[in-house]
Amino acid sequence: MHAIDETHSPALVSWLASANQAGADFPLQNLPHGVFRRQASGEAWRGGVAIGDQVLDMAAAHAAGLFTGEAAVAAGHAGAPALNGLMALGPSAWQALRLALSRGLREGATDQARWRACLVPLAEIEMTVPARIGDYTDMYASIHHAGNIGKLFRPDSPLTPNFKWLPIGYHGRVSSIGVSGQSFPRPRGQILPPGAAAPVFSECKRLDYELELGIWIGQGNAQGEPVPLADVERHLFGMCLLNDWSARDIQAWEYQPLGPFLAKSFATTVSPWIVTMAALAPYRGQWIRPEGDPQPMPYLDDPAIRERGAFDITIESWLESATMRAAGQNAARLSHSSFRHSYWTVGQMVAHHTVGGCNLQPGDLIGTGTQSGPGEGEAAALIEQSVGGKQPVSLGNGETRSFLEDGDTVILRAWCERPGFARIGFGDCRGTVLPAR
Amino acid sequence: MHAIDETHSPALVSWLASANQAGADFPLQNLPHGVFRRQASGEAWRGGVAIGDQVLDMAAAHAAGLFTGEAAVAAGHAGAPALNGLMALGPSAWQALRLALSRGLREGATDQARWRACLVPLAEIEMTVPARIGDYTDMYASIHHAGNIGKLFRPDSPLTPNFKWLPIGYHGRVSSIGVSGQSFPRPRGQILPPGAAAPVFSECKRLDYELELGIWIGQGNAQGEPVPLADVERHLFGMCLLNDWSARDIQAWEYQPLGPFLAKSFATTVSPWIVTMAALAPYRGQWIRPEGDPQPMPYLDDPAIRERGAFDITIESWLESATMRAAGQNAARLSHSSFRHSYWTVGQMVAHHTVGGCNLQPGDLIGTGTQSGPGEGEAAALIEQSVGGKQPVSLGNGETRSFLEDGDTVILRAWCERPGFARIGFGDCRGTVLPAR
């Protein structure tokens, strides 16, 4: 597991002033990876690292010879148009690069001019999905979400009997994953109207978002060789935000017996920056199994994982309606919670995913499932917030929402903070619903 | 839809004698695409076309200048280490290449020596998955399979209410898809023993195969733009055999509420040759909706599709046990049926898959779901044949099977024949169960 080291010191200050501003998502302690190019430039996509209000062009920095040794190998891959090669290298190389970046960007570093020459303002770039995703899996790891939504879909047995025994997961669609800024037409599909005997073909009328975190897989495992929980860390590269857009009415009709399909496959949005597991190290804490719940099977339990299995990542969802945009109003916050409430940890998800022999590959993406928390205001999807559409949510400007309307932009945000450490942020994950075609 | 043309004439004879043998899988009328290299050669993978007992090395044939015009463009892609580029070209290029191959390989063709120089014996090659699969979807299109297995999993409602309204599908795992010859350790996982209150961790005790066809997607569609049924053909490149290995006991415990996950993701095996939609044209026939069943929604219905929607592809599954191998006995046939019994057609699967806006990409793979037929001996998985394990199947040599045992090799076979046309075959799809690690 990543140790706390000099790169996490809250005392670190960058020679780039914007990195030192209170509340900035990308201080020196963060250093997230992404893939970018200048807007409307026709430039090639290449990897970069966010710092303050800039991105360090890793292709340029590597070409300029700013790195040596293991860090240089990692920097070469970190400048590629997809980060799969970097993800495949493993923790030692990742850590060497993080240290080199931290030292080169901090106050007092020599060679500032050469580093500065590789910076591009965030305001001038566009970004893309940061890796070639071989497979995308979505889990269902929040007991609060599963309970809330289970009540609506299956009033008799909200939590299926397996929930407390294994991290439920299913395979998702890769081709329709887009990066923050994605927009998509409202899907059409088959829907069974309440009380009807036969379905109708219709626009989705219960379009929803789901606030999740995404886990980017680092090193892979061979087919047939499960990843033990104690060995999970090298398989984890970092995390992002993920919006698992969901057509609830399409889902309700189609999902038996084989699970969600068209209800999810029309679009999935990720935030473009990958916050590394190294950057997240200070914000890990004890994973607690609620009293009375079954003891996890041995392959899902490990003392070290219990000790640092949970991640205290604050997560929020916001809605900006077309009306708000036109009136210059701020977006309305829909939820505020923390990923620390997840019933299953990231490590348990990976250990379970591979226990039957399934092989993960660098750049695979795992969604955590909607991360609703236990309290008021912590439900992370409209279907929970509006209790299945029966209690519309106020947006504070006179508008209400049971489900998403055309023109709605959903914004997901996440950050970590802890006394004695810096605040690091994930950057926004935005997506917009267009009218059905 | 592909027309019947000179390439389908049963009178065609090749200058390669092995292509003309009765019962051969790869006569001149077939010309399936795959990716190969000489065994243990360290050679690069490249595309080839099967003919008789040989493969035409398409990289070599293209380099030798055997093709001109549109066929040459297609031939360049057909020699690549993955056939995604060929798949993206569309029917006109595919057809130009098919015609050029047919003319070059038929009796009386000039330049035979130059063509012959590009042949490699099938006995000397190994093959790989023929495309980079972006996404793999598995459908559930046989009403006979759904009914048989539904009785076992859900005695009260074997067919879910949506079955006759839409082709049910779910997303599958790409990373563990292998080519014929694949072997894999028996998976372990959580299983709920009959009557038990809590699951145990165990080797899978109800390991099964599923006989499916695989559909290789040709041209893609843009996100948000559904493929109308009338426009499906350019999105279909060809078909193969697919074994959707299934751990029934793991599946029974894990699959609610989000569908199969580890029960399927440990391995999926495809046959290496892609039989093109052009080659399959003569064996298409009327798709018949059973009397009294609901009229398909307009996006799932089209007169042309009804007329030629069904594919009469004979499909068989065979089992070769370790005992049989040791004793030099022949494999035992487990099932014999035809894909023409599928409740939903290939075209309907694609139209439905995209109707909500999901984008398909060249090289995507769609499994048809287990294709069980209506009659005796037509069930295409052991769980159906053994009625949930209660009536073990005789293998004819004194052995019986309720589910697969270690060392079992399952062999899937398929071919098409029709009076007035040639017989074309798919080649074997073999996979072997190894003991759990």
Side-chain angles (χ1 to χ4, degrees), chain A residues 46 197 268 315 342 380:
Chain A
R46 69 273 195 188
T268 305
I315 44 179
S342 185

Side-chain angles (χ1 to χ4, degrees), chain B residues 314-335:
Chain B
T314 302
I315 44 177
E316 291 187 342
S317 57
W318 296 70
L319 192 150
E320 179 187 83
S321 68
T323 301
M324 291 173 184
R325 264 196 303 285
Q329 295 164 339
N330 289 330
R333 193 174 80 181
L334 296 177
S335 73

Side-chain angles (χ1 to χ4, degrees), chain B residues 57-418:
Chain B
D57 180 334
M58 289 302 298
H62 179 250
L66 295 181
F67 304 95
T68 58
E70 200 174 10
V73 174
H77 289 286
L83 301 180
N84 301 69
L86 177 64
M87 293 160 165
L89 290 179
S92 168
W94 304 334
Q95 189 55 23
L97 179 58
R98 178 176 168 84
L99 188 61
L101 287 165
S102 176
R103 289 181 179 172
L105 291 166
R106 73 177 66 154
E107 209 172 62
T110 57
D111 251 359
Q112 284 180 27
R114 288 174 67 214
W115 284 77
R116 202 178 282 273
C118 300
L119 295 178
V120 179
L122 289 177
E124 296 178 11
I125 68 167
E126 57 185 350
M127 302 192 69
T128 189
V129 176
R132 288 182 311 278
I133 304 170
D135 280 289
Y136 160 49
T137 301
D138 198 23
M139 312 296 289
Y140 193 60
S142 159
I143 197 167
H144 309 293
H145 170 68
N148 291 343
I149 204 162
K151 271 181 225 154
L152 301 169
F153 274 67
R154 293 170 302 279
D156 298 341
S157 58
L159 274 193
T160 49
N162 52 10
F163 187 89
K164 294 181 176 180
W165 288 96
L166 53 80
I168 294 169
Y170 66 105
H171 306 294
R173 181 83 195 172
V174 173
S175 68
S176 51
I177 297 175
V179 79
S180 182
Q182 184 178 31
S183 61
F184 55 88
R186 175 181 298 272
R188 287 197 172 85
Q190 292 195 22
I191 291 165
L192 188 69
V200 298
F201 188 76
S202 165
E203 289 180 11
C204 170
K205 291 176 177 161
R206 292 162 72 90
L207 185 61
D208 204 353
Y209 75 97
E210 292 193 335
L211 165 50
E212 307 192 8
L213 289 160
I215 301 154
W216 290 97
I217 295 298
Q219 294 189 304
N221 64 300
Q223 197 166 351
E225 295 184 9
V227 175
L229 201 50
D231 191 34
V232 153
E233 296 295 326
R234 71 184 182 88
H235 300 282
L236 303 175
F237 181 70
M239 299 181 73
C240 67
L241 284 158
L242 186 151
N243 189 337
D244 178 27
W245 305 96
S246 297
R248 303 295 181 190
D249 38 11
I250 293 172
Q251 185 175 351
W253 172 238
E254 77 171 1
Y255 94 109
Q256 289 289 11
L258 299 177
F261 182 45
L262 304 191
K264 306 276 194 175
S265 62
F266 58 93
T268 305
T269 310
V270 293
S271 57
W273 294 108
I274 307 178
V275 178
T276 63
M277 300 313 282
L280 292 169
Y283 316 100
R284 299 179 72 152
Q286 201 181 5
W287 171 73
I288 297 162
R289 168 135 297 207
E291 193 126 3
D293 280 0
Q295 174 68 16
M297 289 192 187
Y299 79 95
L300 292 174
D301 206 5
D302 184 272
I305 290 294
R306 288 213 172 212
E307 209 45 55
R308 296 186 69 204
F311 289 79
D312 189 11
I313 302 172
T314 302
I315 44 177
E316 291 187 342
S317 57
W318 296 70
L319 192 150
E320 179 187 83
S321 68
T323 301
M324 291 173 184
R325 264 196 303 285
Q329 295 164 339
N330 289 330
R333 193 174 80 181
L334 296 177
S335 73
H336 172 96
S337 185
S338 169
F339 180 49
R340 74 170 181 274
H341 299 300
S342 185
Y343 192 85
W344 296 102
T345 68
V346 169
Q348 288 167 326
M349 294 179 207
V350 168
H352 181 66
H353 201 321
T354 61
V355 75
C358 181
N359 50 327
L360 302 180
Q361 298 179 312
D364 283 352
L365 181 64
I366 299 179
T368 60
T370 309
Q371 286 294 329
S372 297
E376 187 80 18
E378 298 196 50
L382 272 169
I383 193 170
E384 298 174 60
Q385 291 149 9
S386 69
V387 191
K390 292 194 289 284
Q391 298 175 20
V393 174
S394 167
L395 301 185
N397 67 340
E399 292 187 279
T400 62
R401 286 293 179 278
S402 294
F403 292 97
L404 295 172
E405 298 192 0
D406 293 347
D408 283 353
T409 295
V410 174
I411 306 155
L412 308 183
R413 291 183 181 137
W415 67 90
C416 301
E417 47 194 348
R418 181 183 151 196

